[in-house]
Amino acid sequence: PTYALLIDRDYTIRFSNGVARQFFGQCEGKKCYALLHGRNRPCISCPPFGLLTDKATKVHEWLNVRSNTAFRSHSYPFADRDGGLMVLQIGINITAGVRARHALDLSEQRYRGIAENLTWGLALVDTKKTLITLNSKMEQWFGPQAVKGALVDDLLQHKCCGDDGAGCLLDSVLTEKE
């Protein structure tokens, strides 16, 4: 669903499409800051109206707090019949994507919390045996060498065999597994 608004320099909405009217009600003649954001004066920072000075397309995301709907708006300079500059704003409803991203963030925080509170080390390793991520217990066990991008073989070599690695049985085990 995409809304379209044509907004004059004084923030008055001159045109709205049917989708805009579905989202926001009657639009024409109202100030955009009142209709879209429930404000009684223009927003301090209004990305769409920046284009009136630099004539560059503006893209921003915003939340309609009354309907709890998120939008990504694309604003373009638009010349009226007299050559006056207006703002043509096209908005896409991105609520589902924002909610999915928020749910994913919460899930990641929950599982990160579980991983961080384990009494044993946990690491995610790719097919090249490179650490992608690890919990604090792994960092505690393996020390400063345990960082993203480190090779598991190098960590084990250092932890099990020490700095000199002389006579380490781990060499033969790692070689056999490869």
Side-chain angles (χ1 to χ4, degrees):
T2 303
Y3 74 81
L5 297 173
L6 190 55
I7 309 168
D8 209 340
R9 293 179 82 88
D10 69 352
Y11 303 98
T12 302
I13 297 171
R14 300 292 177 207
F15 169 82
S16 63
N17 69 351
V19 174
R21 289 187 294 279
Q22 286 174 354
F23 280 132
F24 313 117
Q26 178 57 38
C27 301
E28 284 82 357
K30 295 185 178 178
K31 301 292 185 181
C32 62
Y33 51 82
L35 181 73
L36 303 178
H37 304 292
R39 299 175 56 92
N40 57 11
R41 62 179 179 272
C43 305
I44 294 170
S45 172
C46 180
F49 275 80
L51 69 82
L52 294 178
T53 53
D54 63 16
K55 312 249 185 327
T57 300
K58 304 293 181 191
V59 179
H60 74 288
E61 293 181 2
W62 63 280
L63 177 68
N64 183 294
V65 293
R66 285 183 266 184
S67 64
N68 199 29
T69 307
F71 296 96
R72 178 175 297 119
S73 296
H74 300 256
S75 300
Y76 306 93
F78 184 89
D80 68 8
R81 288 183 217 141
D82 302 326
L85 207 51
M86 299 172 81
V87 173
L88 173 61
Q89 187 177 84
I90 308 294
I92 302 164
N93 183 345
I94 60 168
T95 305
V98 169
R99 287 182 180 153
R101 186 172 49 214
H102 180 69
L104 182 62
D105 289 346
L106 288 175
S107 176
E108 183 179 345
Q109 289 172 10
R110 185 174 22 252
Y111 288 108
R112 173 58 73 183
I114 292 168
E116 284 302 317
N117 289 300
L118 292 173
T119 57
W120 38 274
L122 180 68
L124 180 62
V125 180
D126 67 15
T127 57
K128 296 176 184 163
K129 298 189 221 174
T130 304
L131 285 175
I132 296 172
T133 188
L134 60 159
N135 69 356
S136 56
K137 185 57 83 173
M138 283 288 285
E139 291 172 350
Q140 183 182 24
W141 285 347
F142 289 99
Q145 293 82 14
V147 294
K148 291 178 187 174
L151 293 174
V152 173
D153 291 353
D154 293 344
L155 287 177
L156 293 172
Q157 182 79 24
H158 179 77
K159 183 70 172 175
C160 299
C161 304
D163 289 329
D164 63 1
C168 183
L169 295 175
L170 189 57
D171 286 334
S172 61
V173 172
L174 291 175
T175 306
E176 287 175 20
K177 295 256 181 188
E178 294 181 61

